[in-house]
Amino acid sequence: MRWSDSFIPTLRDAPGDATAASHQLLVRAGFIRQLHSGHYSLLPLGLRVHNKVADIVRAEMHAIGAQEFLLPAMHPGDLWRRSGRWGVMGSEMFRLRDRNDADVVLGMTHEEVFATLAAEMSSYRELPQTWYQIQTKFRDEPRPRSGLLRVREFMMKDSYSFDMDEAGLEDSFEAHREAYHKVFERLDLEVMAVQASSGAMGGDASVEFMVASPAGEDDVARCSRCGYRANIERARAAVPSLDDPPAGDAPERFATPGIRTIEALVSFEGGAPADRQIKTMVMVLDDQLTLVVLRGDHQLNLQKLADASGAIDVRPATAAETLAELGANPGSLGAVGIDHLPIYADEALRGRRSMTTGANADDWHVRGVDVERDIIDPRWADLREVAAGEDCVDCGNPLEIVRCIEAGHIFKLGRTYCEAMRVSVLDDNGVAQTPIMGSYGIGIGRAMAAVAETHHDERGLCWPVAVAPFEVVITVLDASDEAQSAAGEELRSGLAALGVDCLYDDRPLRPGVKLADAELVGVPYRVTVGARSLAQGNVELMRRSTRETRLVSVDEAVAVTAAEVGTHRA
């Protein structure tokens, strides 16, 4: 392809709202343009990369026997009601009504639709099945940001397995896990497979594939010694036991004028250290006012609370709601003696005595609290957020917290969707059985952005050969020089004949502009044709990722360049 005929609108500056490197560079290098918040156009270079990522994903899906489908992006609302997810998805789902006043949605995912198709199977002999598609998804993100990393419209590979039993699901799950590692290896992305929350997807097993990056929106707790890795929404850490003194026969109420925080009570005379305080939070779980109690120095993880309670909508109660229900303001709240509200207690409080907490009266606290004696019928769960430096739950080594991009996610869904869509097959005894499902996703655009995020330098993008928009850019420094143009044309035709994907820069621009553009766009190899080297019978070959440069004779340039490219193809 000739650069002079192409639409590659490079920019000197990035958009003012672009903070992630991938966002800045994909815009500056002419790969994407924002139409409106969370919606991006893929320009020709961007689409070439996007398609190459999709082709790698597609190849690894075919390698495990998956069959490709293409399903509608718009679904009838009744389908989501049947599965129970009409309400679960909340405001992130795009909903509208058609001209017949019927509810329709733009698909966030396709479990319901694939399960509907699976209802056409009738015998165990038709299982296992693995089906997939690469299709547009829609999520009404409240705060789209970071270019392609968090958007409202995106292409995703979603695949679904159908098996007779748990053993079959385990085989399908592991096949996808292995396929995902191969995909990310071919994309030159270093991923961590981590334990994760299933969230609104449901199911009892969930693994995310994470790429360490400051542009990510997820935190992962990991142990450098034993390899423990978990999303912060699922992570656990060892909590050292504390030697509590006896609690006494009953809690003692005492005045704490003006004390409204954990920190203030630590320094108050007669107060308590943070690890001997009970933090009481008033939350609203699906319209039900609920108390959540944790150790004073621990933080609540909202996803853990949602997973433990099964609640769809989780939010803090307002100050007015709290005052009306408990008669006190935040900072003076406690769960001691409360029997009319549900109470969730973090496991780190189990067995604790001589604790201090709010008395549900402004400026008063109680001490000498025995948690299991004085807090009525709590529902125990792991609710706290793990912090860096805490001990690994498996080996005791200090954990580190790493910011990551979620590049892929696999779930064991169970039978929920098949039951909802009345999918059943006859087993070998002629008895109807419900198949068990798995769900497996990779965002194509997000994977593309993750590659950009981890493969760039101060000059621009540095695409791996496997996904680069072109494998080689031929830069003719002076397009008006007949000798240079002739050499460039010969290189272009020679490389094309060997199957090398080339961009030929024949633009009548200054050499500095052309060289800067080539580095910004990030083509893996650049062959530079200039008067000085050409006079000696040479051209310059540069590898973009290392900027290693060498002179190659004109006669050998095609063969040498093609060999270099072939070495680094996935």
Side-chain angles (χ1 to χ4, degrees):
M1 180 179 288
R2 296 177 183 276
W3 200 315
S4 60
D5 296 333
S6 305
F7 182 63
I8 307 174
T10 58
L11 301 174
R12 182 182 300 273
D13 299 313
D17 63 342
T19 56
S22 59
H23 187 189
Q24 295 173 351
L25 291 171
L26 289 172
V27 172
R28 285 189 57 216
F31 285 71
I32 64 173
R33 288 293 184 268
Q34 180 173 289
L35 179 62
H36 59 122
S37 179
H39 299 263
Y40 284 85
S41 299
L42 292 176
L43 306 189
L45 292 189
L47 185 59
R48 291 176 73 92
V49 175
H50 193 275
N51 287 344
K52 289 185 177 184
V53 173
D55 285 345
I56 287 173
V57 173
R58 186 176 277 114
E60 296 302 335
M61 288 297 98
H62 291 170
I64 62 172
Q67 303 161 74
E68 186 169 8
F69 289 57
L70 184 60
L71 308 186
M74 181 178 287
H75 308 163
D78 286 346
L79 201 62
W80 288 72
R81 289 190 176 94
R82 284 175 61 186
S83 71
R85 292 205 296 176
W86 176 262
V88 170
M89 290 305 186
S91 59
E92 287 193 354
M93 180 184 284
F94 282 101
R95 306 163 197 255
L96 57 154
R97 289 180 178 270
D98 66 15
R99 66 175 62 201
N100 297 313
D101 207 32
D103 287 321
V104 292
V105 305
L106 298 180
M108 302 172 66
T109 181
H110 278 70
E111 281 79 5
E112 286 82 356
V113 185
F114 270 105
T116 298
L117 294 172
E120 296 192 35
M121 294 187 291
S122 59
S123 170
Y124 73 96
R125 293 186 179 89
E126 297 174 78
L127 297 177
Q129 291 281 338
T130 301
W131 300 343
Y132 84 98
Q133 65 171 344
I134 296 176
Q135 171 61 295
T136 307
K137 310 289 185 183
F138 299 88
R139 294 183 186 175
D140 193 2
E141 293 283 355
R143 290 175 298 278
R145 69 176 195 84
S146 301
L148 299 183
L149 289 175
R150 180 166 290 278
V151 291
R152 302 200 296 175
E153 177 182 352
F154 55 97
M155 294 291 286
M156 187 170 78
K157 186 287 300 178
D158 50 326
S159 54
Y160 304 85
S161 61
F162 297 86
D163 290 279
M164 281 297 293
D165 52 30
E166 285 77 4
L169 173 59
E170 181 64 23
D171 289 343
S172 296
F173 192 81
E174 289 306 314
H176 276 84
R177 187 200 298 264
E178 183 177 347
Y180 274 38
H181 279 295
K182 290 179 179 178
V183 166
F184 295 124
E185 182 179 357
R186 292 179 65 179
L187 297 179
D188 200 17
L189 284 175
E190 185 176 341
V191 297
M192 298 182 285
V194 309
Q195 300 174 30
S197 166
S198 295
M201 300 294 291
D204 59 2
S206 175
V207 173
E208 289 172 329
F209 295 83
M210 294 294 204
V211 178
S213 169
E217 293 191 322
D218 289 273
D219 287 325
V220 168
R222 70 179 180 186
C223 175
S224 60
R225 179 189 293 169
C226 72
Y228 173 82
R229 292 168 178 171
N231 190 304
I232 204 71
E233 297 173 346
R234 181 76 180 272
R236 300 175 66 93
V239 180
S241 58
L242 298 175
D243 186 16
D244 293 332
D249 294 334
E252 173 193 355
R253 196 167 184 260
F254 67 107
T256 52
I259 300 301
R260 292 290 184 273
T261 66
I262 298 292
E263 293 76 15
L265 190 60
V266 169
S267 57
F268 181 75
E269 184 176 356
D275 61 9
R276 293 196 184 279
Q277 295 185 48
I278 301 172
K279 178 189 298 183
T280 304
M281 305 179 68
V282 184
M283 306 295 294
V284 180
L285 309 184
D286 291 341
D287 299 323
Q288 170 64 62
L289 212 68
T290 303
L291 301 187
V292 179
V293 292
L294 302 95
R295 212 170 80 177
D297 57 339
H298 289 166
Q299 301 300 316
L300 173 66
N301 184 284
L302 290 178
Q303 186 61 52
K304 285 187 175 184
L305 177 61
D307 290 345
S309 64
I312 298 166
D313 184 30
V314 177
R315 66 171 177 85
T318 65
E321 289 170 325
T322 298
L323 183 61
E325 188 68 36
L326 296 176
N329 289 293
S332 300
L333 306 175
V336 171
I338 298 295
D339 60 4
H340 65 288
L341 294 175
I343 301 173
Y344 282 87
D346 180 62
E347 288 285 356
L349 287 176
R350 194 185 286 271
R352 295 298 307 277
R353 301 171 301 174
S354 295
M355 303 292 284
T356 298
T357 189
N360 289 326
D362 288 346
D363 300 323
W364 290 87
H365 281 71
V366 292
R367 55 191 166 205
V369 175
D370 182 317
V371 174
E372 296 189 50
R373 179 194 68 192
D374 299 324
I375 296 181
I376 300 170
D377 195 25
R379 305 173 192 183
W380 294 97
D382 171 39
L383 301 174
R384 75 183 192 91
E385 187 158 295
V386 168
E390 293 186 331
D391 291 342
C392 173
V393 71
D394 289 340
C395 73
N397 189 58
L399 294 170
E400 62 174 328
I401 307 298
V402 184
R403 180 56 57 94
C404 293
I405 298 167
E406 180 195 325
H409 204 161
I410 60 178
F411 304 83
K412 291 181 180 179
L413 291 177
R415 293 182 167 84
T416 300
Y417 297 96
C418 283
E419 289 171 349
M421 303 305 157
R422 299 185 179 89
V423 181
S424 68
V425 297
L426 298 180
D427 64 16
D428 54 357
N429 294 315
V431 178
Q433 303 287 350
T434 302
I436 190 167
M437 285 181 68
S439 177
Y440 318 90
I442 292 178
I444 305 299
R446 178 176 286 189
M448 170 182 165
V451 175
E453 197 65 43
T454 54
H455 292 75
H456 68 271
D457 60 20
E458 69 280 2
R459 294 176 175 86
L461 296 159
C462 302
W463 294 109
V465 171
V467 296
F470 294 95
E471 294 169 323
V472 175
V473 56
I474 302 167
T475 302
V476 176
L477 295 183
D478 183 358
S480 65
D481 183 303
E482 291 185 5
Q484 291 183 50
S485 292
E489 289 286 359
E490 186 175 344
L491 286 168
R492 183 188 65 80
S493 60
L495 287 169
L498 294 178
V500 178
D501 202 4
C502 292
L503 176 63
Y504 179 48
D505 191 353
D506 58 342
R507 295 175 296 168
L509 300 177
R510 290 183 294 106
V513 173
K514 298 170 79 166
L515 295 174
D517 275 354
E519 294 200 294
L520 176 61
V521 167
V523 177
Y525 288 92
R526 187 183 75 212
V527 179
T528 305
V529 182
R532 183 178 301 175
S533 58
L534 193 59
Q536 299 173 356
N538 296 322
V539 293
E540 183 182 87
L541 176 62
M542 188 186 85
R543 186 178 179 191
R544 173 68 183 87
S545 59
T546 62
R547 306 199 79 249
E548 177 187 356
T549 302
R550 58 182 164 139
L551 293 175
V552 181
S553 72
V554 172
D555 293 339
E556 297 177 342
V558 168
V560 169
T561 303
E564 277 280 339
V565 170
T567 299
H568 294 97
R569 280 178 174 151

